[in-house]
Amino acid sequence: MVENTDTTQAARPDERLRALDRLTGTWKVTGGAEGTVTYRWMEGGFFLIQDVELEQYGQRVTGLEVIGRERPFGAERPSEDIRSRFYDSQGNTFDYVYEPDGDTLTIWAGEKGSPAYFRGTFEADGDSLTGAWVYPGGGGYDSVMTRIR
């Protein structure tokens, strides 16, 4: 019996998803939201988990975000886009699309190309990400993340 290596080979996270590895660790967030976020890989390396503890607009927000490629039941391949869903302590769920491109990270609110997004640039040392959230009609804010662990 000859095995088909295409179907028996273990799946591995792809290069674009692994580009988010530079987020792993704990970061101090300043700007329009203040606090800390921690990124860690789920076993297997297919999903990056973000734990959030922030204060924004005078309210404390804690939450959990799961970032990776969607692969619904029965799908042969994962999604083209790196998607996430954020769950917060106030009962909200928010969907995003992550788009790493070299030292630039864009996080689209909802769908890729949305008028609401974050765009930031990693500094050369990789220990800070500086950017801004942009909202249609204004109301966005600057955001800086600095690695503390």
Side-chain angles (χ1 to χ4, degrees):
M1 184 169 142
V2 177
E3 290 186 35
N4 179 344
T5 58
D6 290 339
T7 58
T8 59
Q9 189 175 31
R12 284 176 265 183
D14 63 87
E15 189 176 309
R16 276 190 61 228
L17 182 60
R18 292 304 302 176
L20 297 177
D21 192 49
R22 66 194 316 176
L23 289 170
T24 59
T26 299
W27 300 76
K28 178 181 177 181
V29 178
T30 58
E34 306 267 336
T36 60
V37 296
T38 300
Y39 291 88
R40 59 190 164 79
W41 287 105
M42 179 184 266
E43 186 175 340
F46 290 96
F47 296 98
L48 186 63
I49 309 298
Q50 180 185 196
D51 298 301
V52 174
E53 295 184 23
L54 297 173
E55 184 169 317
Q56 186 175 27
Y57 306 120
Q59 292 194 339
R60 183 173 181 262
V61 177
T62 61
L64 170 77
E65 183 177 21
V66 180
I67 307 159
R69 296 194 187 276
E70 289 181 342
R71 188 168 164 186
F73 184 74
E76 291 185 25
R77 292 189 174 93
S79 64
E80 177 67 26
D81 291 331
I82 298 170
R83 298 185 168 275
S84 77
R85 174 153 291 171
F86 177 76
Y87 304 87
D88 76 15
S89 55
Q90 298 172 6
N92 297 304
T93 59
F94 300 114
D95 294 328
Y96 298 97
V97 174
Y98 276 64
E99 186 178 23
D101 184 16
D103 288 334
T104 301
L105 175 62
T106 303
I107 305 171
W108 302 98
E111 295 296 325
K112 190 173 179 177
S114 165
Y117 61 90
F118 168 84
R119 183 164 291 134
T121 303
F122 285 95
E123 298 299 323
D125 65 5
D127 287 336
S128 63
L129 176 64
T130 302
W133 281 97
V134 175
Y135 299 138
Y141 59 88
D142 292 338
S143 181
V144 177
M145 290 190 350
T146 306
R147 188 186 315 271
I148 55 176
R149 287 191 289 246

